[in-house]
């Protein structure tokens, strides 16, 4: 049951990260800088709502003793980042880019660790490793050089976040298929024993 729980935890987290990354990438690509402050506010609202929902689901499943396996600390970090985005949206300050940088770096590191840990089960794991390293670098860049994240650089970041978000969503479903296959094998071995 241990490996099934781990894969179950990983695919759900990567899926959430991928959806958020894709949304943020599309926002950066198609929204002008004067509207970006409002978009950051909505992004913060989405992060707060999704974090609260995921925390509630995790709490309910824990009380019912169901293996949901949500990383509570990560959801709390997302909640804090969402609140900060809502509070600082009007100024479109460096802090907003730093907050996005922190989230992107966390997503990249989580994807990297998960992929390395389960690389023997994942076809073309090297592509996911490269994507996660680039996500981490991009997150660190946004954290330490927020002033340079305007205009052309913002569009480049938007393209990368959109592509990497789609790849994370694809990777999440690959992790899910591994979890499903593991569960099926566990069920079959349980049936043969009876």
């Amino acid at each position: 049951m241990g490996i099934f729980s781990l894969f179950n935890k990983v695919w759900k987290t990567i899926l959430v990260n991928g959806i958020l990354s894709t949304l943020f990438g599309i926002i950066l690509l198609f929204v002008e800088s004067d509207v970006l402050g409002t978009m950051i506010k909505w992004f913060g609202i989405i992060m707060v709502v999704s974090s609260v929902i995921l925390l509630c689901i995790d709490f309910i499943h824990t009380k019912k003793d169901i293996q949901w396996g949500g990383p509570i600390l990560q959801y709390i970090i997302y909640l804090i980042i969402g609140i900060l985005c809502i509070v600082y949206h009007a100024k479109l300050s460096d802090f907003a880019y730093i907050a996005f940088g922190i989230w992107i770096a966390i997503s990249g590191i989580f994807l990297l660790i998960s992929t390395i840990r389960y690389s023997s089960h994942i076809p073309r794991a090297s592509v996911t490793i490269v994507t996660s390293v680039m996500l981490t670098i991009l997150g660190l860049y946004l954290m330490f050089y927020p002033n340079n994240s305007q205009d052309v650089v913002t569009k480049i970041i938007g393209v990368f976040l959109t592509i990497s978000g789609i790849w994370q969503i694809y990777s999440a479903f690959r992790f899910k298929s591994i979890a499903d296959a593991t569960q099926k094998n566990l069920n079959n071995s349980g049936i043969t024993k009876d």
Side-chain angles (χ1 to χ4, degrees):
M1 283 300 274
I3 191 76
F4 172 69
S5 300
L6 288 171
F7 276 116
N8 236 1
K9 177 193 295 186
V10 167
W11 89 263
K12 292 168 187 170
T13 303
I14 293 174
L15 180 63
V16 171
N17 289 340
I19 291 169
L20 290 174
S21 180
T22 305
L23 286 173
F24 184 46
I26 291 169
I27 288 167
L28 289 179
L29 276 174
F30 296 107
V31 175
E32 297 302 320
S33 57
D34 57 341
V35 186
L36 196 53
T38 305
M39 298 307 292
I40 287 174
K41 178 182 177 181
W42 282 105
F43 183 78
I45 291 169
I46 290 168
M47 285 194 75
V48 167
V49 170
S50 61
S51 298
V52 168
I53 289 170
L54 289 168
L55 282 167
C56 289
I57 290 171
D58 196 50
F59 178 74
I60 291 166
H61 281 81
T62 302
K63 288 204 78 162
K64 291 182 177 178
D65 200 29
I66 299 172
Q67 289 290 332
W68 161 257
I72 293 174
L73 179 61
Q74 190 173 3
Y75 298 153
I76 291 170
I77 290 170
Y78 288 173
L79 180 64
I80 293 168
I81 292 172
I83 291 168
L84 292 173
C85 289
I86 293 168
V87 171
Y88 289 97
H89 76 279
K91 298 177 183 177
L92 189 60
S93 63
D94 294 347
F95 192 81
Y97 279 105
I98 292 168
F100 286 127
I102 292 168
W103 162 66
I104 293 165
I106 290 171
S107 297
I109 291 167
F110 183 83
L111 183 62
L112 179 64
I113 291 169
S114 301
T115 305
I116 289 172
R117 190 170 184 184
Y118 307 114
S119 59
S120 61
H121 299 283
I122 304 169
R124 296 181 302 280
S126 58
V127 177
T128 307
I129 289 172
V130 169
T131 302
S132 59
V133 168
M134 290 178 70
L135 265 177
T136 306
I137 292 169
L138 176 60
L140 293 173
Y141 176 82
L142 285 172
M143 286 166 61
F144 294 110
Y145 301 103
N147 289 328
N148 298 334
S149 303
Q150 306 296 328
D151 303 328
V152 176
V153 176
T154 301
K155 299 304 179 191
I156 293 169
I157 292 169
V159 169
F160 177 73
L161 281 178
T162 303
I163 293 169
S164 68
I166 292 167
W167 183 259
Q168 284 183 83
I169 292 168
Y170 169 71
S171 298
F173 285 108
R174 290 198 306 173
F175 275 94
K176 182 183 184 304
S177 68
I178 294 167
D180 292 344
T182 305
Q183 181 63 36
K184 186 177 178 183
N185 289 340
L186 288 171
N187 290 343
N188 288 342
S189 64
I191 289 168
T192 53
K193 285 178 183 178
D194 290 341

